[in-house]
Amino acid sequence: MFFLLFSRIIPRIKEAATGRDSGKGSRAGVAAPHKLAPQKTDVRLGRIVRLLMQNATVVVSGTKIADEISMSRSEVWRLVQQLRSLGVEIAGHPATGYRLKAMPDLLLPDMLTSLLKGTIFGQEIHHYYKIGSTNSEAMETASAGAPEGSVFVAEEQTAGRGRGAHQWASAPSAGVYCSVVLRPLLPPSEALVLSLAAGLAVHAAVQQVDSRVSPDLKWPNDLLIEGKKFCGILTEMNAEVTRVRYIVVGIGINVNQARFPADLQPIATSLRLASGTEWSRVELCAALLKSLDREYHDLLQKPGAHESILKRFQERSSSARGRQVQVEENGGFEGVTEGLDPRGFLQVRTAQGVRTVLSGTVRLK
C-alpha cells in the first residue's frame, strides 16, 4: 500500500503509516503544531439557525425552540450564546424570544445540504468550529470507511499544511476550509488530473459568484489573483499499485480576510480584497462543491474528460506556457514553460532541452 501526497508541485510517494500528513496551502517557515482535538459542531446549532430562518420575520420563543428541538430552555440559551460567539446576529433573550438580525454565514450542514441536492456531497457534511486540519480528519475518517462524498468543513484550522511542514493561515470564519472524500475507480496515475480538475472547480465557483473576479491557475494546485495566492489545493491518496482506495481533496480559500500578516501581504490575497466586497462563504462553498461534483463525474464517465481538463487548465493559466520559471528540483533549474504533457505534468524548456517537472516547487520569475 502506498500513500501519495500532492504537495505544491507533484505527488511525493512514501509508505503510509497513518495517512495523516495533510493540510492545505503553504506558509513558509511555520512549523505545524501538534494535532488539535476537533471541536465538532453540535448539530442542534444548525437546527436553531434553520428554525430562526424559517421564522425570520417574527420573534421565536425559547419554549418553541426547545419543543421543536427537544431540549430545555436553558440549553437553548446556551446554544444561542454559542452562535453569537461565532458571529451569528441574534436579537432577544430568554424572556422575549429570539430573532435573526442577519442571515448567518456559517458553513453548517443545515445551511449547505439543501444547496447540494443532486450531488454526492449533500449527505455527509461534518462541521467543526476549530480543527487541526480538515484533510487530516478526512484521511483518518476515510481510512475507517467514510463514504464517498463525505465533506469536512471548518470555521478555523490550526494546522492546515501544504508542502512539507508549512502552514496555511486559516483565520476564523473568514475562509472556506473544506476537504472531501472520493473513492474513484481510477488508477493512481489519474490523481494528478483530479487535482487539476479541483482547480478548475474553484475557478468556476468564483466566476459563478462574481464574474468580475478572474482567477489564474498556477500548476498544479494554486489559484492566484494579480499574482497573489488566494487558494491552495492539497490532494492526498491511499492507493495500491493499480487502484485507488480513496482520495481526499482539500481546498483552502481566502474569502473575507481584510488583511494579512506583514510577511504574507506580498504573496497572499482574498476574494474580498480582490473584489472590494464581502462574499457569502455559504454561497461560494456550495458553488465549489457543485462544480467539483460535475468535474468528478465527467472525469469518471465522459469520454475525453481527461484531455478536456488539461486543455481548460492551460487556457485558464497564464503561466502554463511561455513563462520564465525556476524549478527547485534536482539541484534546481530555470526555463520557459511549455504546457502540460498528456499525464498532466508541467514541461519546461531549458538550455539543455525540455524537462518534465516531477517534484519540487515551481516559482514564477
Side-chain angles (χ1 to χ4, degrees):
M1 180 180 71
F2 292 93
F3 171 74
L4 288 79
L5 169 63
F6 279 79
S7 187
R8 289 195 59 154
I9 229 24
I10 165 164
R12 294 174 302 173
I13 305 178
K14 62 182 181 180
E15 290 197 30
T18 63
R20 293 164 69 175
D21 182 18
S22 61
K24 296 182 287 296
S26 62
R27 177 178 177 176
V30 182
H34 63 273
K35 183 180 178 182
L36 176 78
Q39 298 179 20
K40 193 166 184 178
T41 303
D42 188 327
V43 296
R44 296 176 299 178
L45 288 179
R47 293 171 187 166
I48 291 175
V49 170
R50 183 172 58 185
L51 182 60
L52 293 176
M53 287 173 61
Q54 290 170 346
N55 298 273
T57 60
V58 298
V59 172
V60 184
S61 70
T63 300
K64 177 177 174 61
I65 296 174
D67 291 344
E68 290 271 351
I69 305 177
S70 300
M71 67 176 79
S72 67
R73 290 182 62 186
S74 62
E75 192 74 355
V76 170
W77 169 246
R78 185 185 69 80
L79 292 174
V80 166
Q81 291 295 86
Q82 195 168 358
L83 284 167
R84 286 170 171 162
S85 72
L86 290 169
V88 181
E89 296 183 57
I90 301 176
H93 52 78
T96 61
Y98 307 98
R99 179 179 59 82
L100 277 179
K101 295 172 64 178
M103 189 66 69
D105 195 33
L106 295 177
L107 302 177
L108 297 168
D110 288 81
M111 302 289 290
L112 290 170
T113 299
S114 62
L115 301 174
L116 296 172
K117 288 181 179 178
T119 75
I120 63 171
F121 299 124
Q123 302 300 315
E124 291 278 341
I125 302 176
H126 305 270
H127 180 271
Y128 303 84
Y129 301 127
K130 184 182 290 188
I131 197 170
S133 161
T134 57
N135 254 45
S136 292
E137 189 69 13
M139 285 293 289
E140 186 174 318
T141 309
S143 70
E148 179 170 69
S150 296
V151 178
F152 299 79
V153 290
E155 297 300 316
E156 179 181 2
Q157 288 187 123
T158 61
R161 290 195 298 111
R163 180 172 56 89
H166 299 164
Q167 186 179 4
W168 176 272
S170 305
S173 298
V176 170
Y177 318 121
C178 174
S179 299
V180 301
V181 175
L182 302 173
R183 298 183 181 275
L185 296 175
L186 291 173
S189 59
E190 289 291 292
L192 175 55
V193 175
L194 180 56
S195 188
L196 301 180
L200 290 170
V202 176
H203 188 284
V206 170
Q207 288 264 282
Q208 178 183 325
V209 176
D210 189 340
S211 60
R212 300 172 301 166
V213 179
S214 184
D216 185 13
L217 291 165
K218 177 177 176 287
W219 186 88
N221 52 13
D222 290 343
L223 284 93
L224 316 176
I225 298 174
E226 297 182 351
K228 293 185 177 183
K229 181 174 176 178
F230 78 94
C231 174
I233 298 169
L234 182 72
T235 302
E236 295 183 281
M237 174 171 61
N238 184 299
E240 298 175 355
V241 174
T242 59
R243 74 177 182 93
V244 169
R245 292 178 183 270
Y246 53 84
I247 291 177
V248 167
V249 179
I251 300 172
I253 305 176
N254 296 333
V255 183
N256 286 322
Q257 288 89 339
R259 63 185 64 85
F260 289 92
D263 61 325
L264 292 181
Q265 288 177 10
I267 59 174
T269 190
S270 69
L271 294 170
R272 176 180 175 178
L273 288 172
S275 65
T277 59
E278 193 160 313
W279 288 49
S280 164
R281 294 186 306 131
V282 172
E283 182 183 5
L284 180 63
C285 187
L288 166 63
L289 292 173
K290 287 190 284 189
S291 294
L292 184 58
D293 178 79
R294 288 192 297 270
E295 293 286 353
Y296 180 59
H297 278 93
D298 283 353
L299 181 60
L300 295 183
Q301 300 171 7
K302 185 179 290 187
H306 178 117
E307 293 74 16
S308 172
I309 289 168
L310 300 185
K311 179 176 182 291
R312 288 182 289 126
F313 188 96
Q314 292 176 93
E315 290 172 347
R316 290 158 177 75
S317 173
S318 69
S319 57
R321 289 185 183 275
R323 187 69 180 269
Q324 188 79 23
V325 296
Q326 180 177 345
V327 181
E328 297 176 0
E329 176 185 78
N330 296 330
F333 61 90
E334 295 185 2
V336 178
T337 56
E338 286 207 351
L340 308 183
D341 74 6
R343 300 166 297 172
F345 296 120
L346 183 67
Q347 298 180 102
V348 177
R349 179 167 293 281
T350 71
Q352 292 74 40
V354 175
R355 297 182 62 169
T356 301
V357 181
L358 296 178
S359 64
T361 297
V362 174
R363 300 194 184 280
L364 307 179
K365 297 190 69 177

